[in-house]
Amino acid sequence: MKMTEVNQFCKSLESQKGKNVKLNKGHFNLDTDERSASFSRKLGIGWEEEYSQYRSDWERLPREQMVRDYPLLVDIELASSCNLKCPMCYTTTEHFKETVQRKTMNWELYTKVIDEVAVHVPAIRLSWRGESTLHNKFIDAVRYAKQKGIGEVSFLTNGTKLDLDYFKLLVDAGADWITLSFDGIGEDYNRIRAPLKYEETIEKLRAAMMYKKQHGLHKPLIKVQGIWPAIRGNPQIYYENLREVSDLVAFNPLIDYLGSDNEDDIVYENCFSCPQLYQRLFVSSTGDAMMCNSDEFGKEIVGNANKETI
């Protein structure tokens, strides 16, 4: 589409009240500008020029509505299942269980995707709907991506396996960025993230950060994030407790994964254009590819990596 056509399309959308895309995603730093800048700077260590271009394109491509031949980031779902049953998560619903095949990705499929995106894609994320570290070759997956030249390898985890020995393996494999889901403090965390324990997870983070400090390491960078309802009663305490055991602290609003929000309370933005269409591609554990991480149930499958190239 040319920009004139896009503008005309937007005007037509504005007249279709109630048909615009729901804005149910959000992410907010709870941290200082200095720590946020330090986090970004450290992510670029070792590939500064390429990283600068990557971050510039992340903002520029959605703004100019340009699609690259390859995505900037490919999210690879190594596991679609999880070992926890957090109350706010869609993976616990009957709809998810009936709709999504819960499995780990075939290793041959994973290497096929990495071989295709190497050189062309700056970053990959080894997670999506499940707990990626459940994959029995997760460390190998990180190592393979780095050996193929991927600039940034990141993943989201609940931290079950993130003890010091496992963290050392991640360091050796070359992981760049770990995001740890950390909801609430004390008993709130214990309830939401059962059977994980607050103090035990804090100690895992403390040991990892101490190991990095003792060995002069910047990476893997550790970011912790929680849902706002779990921390809104004491966000300052949450931040202070996690600041010393992480590189960055953030939070997300509670997303309506369970479809229980009142329609009257949903705010729509006229002519919303999803930036992810210009940034990312999601490859599920079965190989099905989706355009956006909001498509948790695979409603808009755009291809399959078993049969097609990225």
Side-chain angles (χ1 to χ4, degrees):
M1 263 190 189
K2 297 178 181 178
M3 285 307 298
T4 53
E5 294 172 328
V6 170
N7 290 334
Q8 291 172 355
F9 178 66
C10 288
K11 288 180 180 179
S12 68
L13 277 181
E14 289 172 0
S15 64
Q16 300 178 46
K17 186 177 180 181
K19 295 185 179 180
N20 293 338
V21 179
K22 292 181 180 180
L23 285 173
N24 68 340
K25 295 281 182 181
H27 184 78
F28 304 93
N29 275 349
L30 197 60
D31 226 310
T32 64
D33 291 342
E34 290 77 13
R35 276 171 50 93
S36 298
S38 175
F39 188 89
S40 295
R41 179 183 61 79
K42 290 175 181 177
L43 274 178
I45 291 175
W47 63 309
E48 288 81 359
E49 185 175 341
E50 296 91 342
Y51 177 75
S52 178
Q53 184 64 53
Y54 164 52
R55 295 313 305 173
S56 174
D57 286 345
W58 191 267
E59 302 293 335
R60 180 181 64 85
L61 296 181
R63 186 173 61 249
E64 298 180 3
Q65 298 183 315
M66 293 179 59
V67 178
R68 295 173 86 237
D69 289 339
Y70 287 82
L72 289 169
L73 171 68
V74 176
D75 296 69
I76 304 173
E77 184 183 64
L78 289 180
S80 53
S81 58
C82 187
N83 57 314
L84 303 185
K85 293 180 172 61
C86 302
M88 67 288 185
C89 185
Y90 57 84
T91 63
T92 65
T93 65
E94 289 303 316
H95 181 53
F96 184 84
K97 295 173 184 177
E98 294 170 359
T99 305
V100 177
Q101 183 181 354
R102 288 172 292 167
K103 65 184 297 291
T104 55
M105 180 176 280
N106 177 279
W107 180 251
E108 286 69 29
L109 173 59
Y110 174 74
T111 56
K112 174 182 182 291
V113 172
I114 294 298
D115 290 347
E116 289 174 4
V117 302
V119 179
H120 304 291
V121 172
I124 62 168
R125 193 170 200 193
L126 298 179
S127 52
W128 183 19
R129 297 170 294 190
E131 172 54 41
S132 55
T133 61
L134 294 180
H135 198 288
N136 62 358
K137 299 190 75 171
F138 183 79
I139 299 295
D140 294 328
V142 174
R143 182 179 295 109
Y144 190 83
K146 293 305 293 185
Q147 289 175 344
K148 287 291 182 173
I150 302 296
E152 178 182 289
V153 177
S154 65
F155 65 96
L156 175 70
T157 180
N158 59 37
T160 300
K161 297 179 70 172
L162 200 62
D163 58 24
L164 184 56
D165 288 340
Y166 197 78
F167 183 76
K168 290 178 182 179
L169 293 175
L170 289 167
V171 171
D172 293 341
D176 297 290
W177 171 5
I178 302 169
T179 296
L180 180 71
S181 294
F182 200 110
D183 299 306
I185 59 176
E187 287 305 314
D188 285 338
Y189 176 89
N190 295 342
R191 174 179 52 82
I192 295 171
R193 290 282 165 179
L196 301 182
K197 298 297 182 183
Y198 177 76
E199 291 297 341
E200 291 176 3
T201 306
I202 287 286
E203 285 306 313
K204 289 177 182 179
L205 289 171
R206 182 173 288 113
M209 292 296 287
M210 182 61 69
Y211 183 82
K212 289 204 300 178
K213 182 177 181 181
Q214 290 171 343
H215 292 81
L217 301 173
H218 294 299
K219 300 177 182 179
L221 287 153
I222 299 176
K223 174 182 175 181
V224 294
Q225 64 184 32
I227 54 172
W228 178 247
I231 68 171
R232 62 185 169 196
N234 43 28
Q236 187 64 36
I237 297 175
Y238 177 84
Y239 174 70
E240 291 172 357
N241 287 358
L242 291 173
R243 183 184 189 280
E244 299 304 321
V245 294
S246 68
D247 295 293
L248 198 69
V249 183
F251 71 90
N252 298 315
L254 181 59
I255 298 166
D256 184 31
Y257 284 133
L258 306 183
S260 58
D261 280 1
N262 188 322
E263 184 73 18
D264 294 335
D265 295 331
I266 298 173
V267 177
Y268 294 91
E269 179 172 317
N270 289 333
C271 197
F272 172 62
S273 177
C274 179
Q276 292 195 42
L277 303 177
Y278 310 95
Q279 297 164 335
R280 308 166 76 170
L281 181 70
F282 292 78
V283 180
S284 74
S285 56
T286 62
D288 285 335
M290 277 71 91
M291 299 179 285
C292 180
N293 65 342
S294 287
D295 193 6
E296 295 91 1
F297 303 107
K299 294 180 180 179
E300 296 290 341
I301 296 173
V302 296
N304 187 288
N306 289 291
K307 306 171 184 177
E308 303 160 88
T309 65
I310 297 298

